[in-house]
Amino acid sequence: MVLQFTDRGIYCPAGDFHIDPWRPVPRALITHGHADHARPGHGAYLATRTAAPVIRHRLGDIPLDTIAYGETRRIGDAQVSFHPAGHVPGSAQIRVEVGGEIWVASGDYKTVDDGLSEPFEPVRCHAFITESTFGLPIYSWPDQAVLAADINGWWAENATAGRTSVLGVYSLGKAQRVLRLLDPSLGPILTHGAVEATNRVIRGQGLALPDTIQVTPDLDAKTHPGAMVLAPPSALGSAWMRRFGAVSTGFASGWMRLRGVRRRRAADRGFVISDHADWDGLNSAIRATGADRIFVTHGYTAQFSRWLTTQGYDAGIVETDYGGETLDEVTEEDPA
Ligand SMILES: [Zn+2]
Ligand SMILES: [Zn+2]
């Protein structure tokens, strides 16, 4: 096996390295900066140049080496290269070739071009390791233009009614993606400190985002009437929100496709937007690899691997510690 599944993470014996390990290892190849993939404590790190700033921001001064997309590097008897996963800026699928056999570990991915992340590129391989966060046919994402019109329409309506719009978004990926969809002519865009910290890193690497104002104690609904506020989901309904007076709350997640979830989250509006592939995205991505062996790591693993088997794939489930897009944002949120 080019890659093996161990209790520390995905392991390559030929190169003696792990991919996105969840326990400390000597050498870790990291697909992207979300907390369930990039963890502290490894002896050495390798990630793409565009993933590195966020990983450093989150993990501090770690021994991190960088690689360009498409660049091939020899590690032991393995040849590795990183390819765009379209999930968040810098996110990668990791291709590992040993003795002519090619495996790809895709981490998290999405096939829709969000205009910010490097668009997903299918990589031909013999075995493909896939997530299945939204691996049921009910998950299909609306068009980006429709989504933008929905969010901006909600914002404009709230502003007219004298309400502040507060939208719950994960700080890495989702927040920046929503920012690019907002129409800044509708009013000021305010950000929670956790969101703004990631915005600074993303802007620092040359990706353009609309102007935002970080919420400080002297800002409220009077200083910025009709504002759109982007905050981590955990801030929704918290004391932090009181400064905004009358608010309408929204939550942006793939889970908003489910009605009951929206109610549980206690948001007034749900917007179906995810940094993970939907059902069609997963299926088209897997087809494009040409692989016949598929390993499903997280999400609807049982249902999705069963589906793949009916489609003629040699598919199986792999136990990992990856979290996908959780409602409680334990995996996708800043640890701070
Ligand atoms: Zn992720
Ligand atoms: Zn993940």
Side-chain angles (χ1 to χ4, degrees), residues 8-320:
R8 293 176 160 208
I10 301 168
Y11 178 65
C12 175
D16 193 21
F17 61 80
H18 288 79
I19 296 174
D20 291 355
W22 48 85
R23 291 213 205 127
V25 299
R27 182 170 211 162
L29 275 54
I30 304 294
T31 59
H32 67 291
H34 279 146
D36 54 328
H37 299 262
R39 301 189 192 230
H42 305 310
Y45 292 77
L46 180 64
T48 67
R49 244 163 241 162
T50 38
V54 164
I55 294 173
R56 282 206 183 91
H57 165 67
R58 295 190 152 188
L59 299 183
D61 188 20
I62 52 165
L64 171 61
D65 192 8
T66 60
I67 187 167
Y69 284 119
E71 178 189 336
T72 302
R73 206 168 284 192
R74 187 156 197 95
I75 304 177
D77 290 326
Q79 284 215 338
V80 304
S81 53
F82 288 53
H83 304 269
H87 173 58
V88 295
S91 66
Q93 311 171 71
I94 300 179
R95 179 187 187 275
V96 183
E97 181 171 349
V98 178
E101 191 175 344
I102 301 159
W103 286 46
V104 170
S106 57
D108 294 331
Y109 64 92
K110 79 166 177 299
T111 51
V112 176
D113 181 0
D114 61 19
L116 199 62
S117 312
E118 303 82 356
F120 178 87
E121 274 176 23
V123 181
R124 303 286 295 178
C125 56
H126 300 102
F128 186 64
I129 303 170
T130 183
E131 57 145 317
S132 64
T133 306
F134 294 106
L136 291 182
I138 51 163
Y139 295 107
S140 72
W141 306 149
D143 185 80
Q144 296 250 97
V146 173
L147 206 53
D150 270 4
I151 297 174
N152 287 316
W154 173 67
W155 181 12
E157 194 182 301
N158 291 334
T160 306
R163 287 189 300 260
T164 303
S165 306
V166 183
L167 189 55
V169 288
Y170 300 115
S171 66
L172 168 59
K174 196 73 62 70
Q176 293 76 35
R177 206 172 149 198
V178 167
L179 265 174
R180 300 266 295 217
L181 297 177
L182 293 178
D183 173 2
S185 74
L186 293 175
I189 304 170
L190 307 184
T191 49
H192 184 281
V195 170
E196 195 52 35
T198 307
N199 286 348
R200 264 196 297 275
V201 176
I202 297 289
R203 286 191 183 104
Q205 59 192 96
L207 295 169
L209 298 174
D211 290 337
T212 52
I213 304 159
Q214 185 176 339
V215 175
T216 49
D218 54 318
L219 297 193
D220 56 30
K222 287 195 196 73
T223 62
H224 293 82
M228 166 66 82
V229 183
L230 299 184
S234 55
L236 257 59
S238 74
W240 181 84
M241 271 180 46
R242 272 188 224 129
R243 74 192 71 221
F244 301 117
V247 299
S248 180
T249 56
F251 187 49
S253 168
W255 298 114
M256 292 302 105
R257 189 72 185 66
L258 302 175
R259 281 175 166 280
V261 168
R262 197 174 310 162
R263 234 173 284 121
R264 248 180 288 149
R265 194 75 228 182
D268 301 316
R269 275 291 294 272
F271 298 100
V272 182
I273 175 169
S274 178
D275 294 330
H276 296 265
D278 65 5
W279 172 257
D280 283 341
L282 289 169
N283 280 286
S284 65
I286 289 168
R287 258 196 314 276
T289 64
D292 36 43
R293 285 183 84 178
I294 312 292
F295 298 92
V296 185
T297 55
H298 55 300
Y300 292 100
T301 51
Q303 295 94 326
F304 195 58
S305 67
R306 204 156 47 231
W307 157 257
L308 291 174
T309 304
T310 67
Q311 299 305 297
Y313 292 100
D314 175 6
I317 303 170
V318 176
E319 290 296 326
T320 68

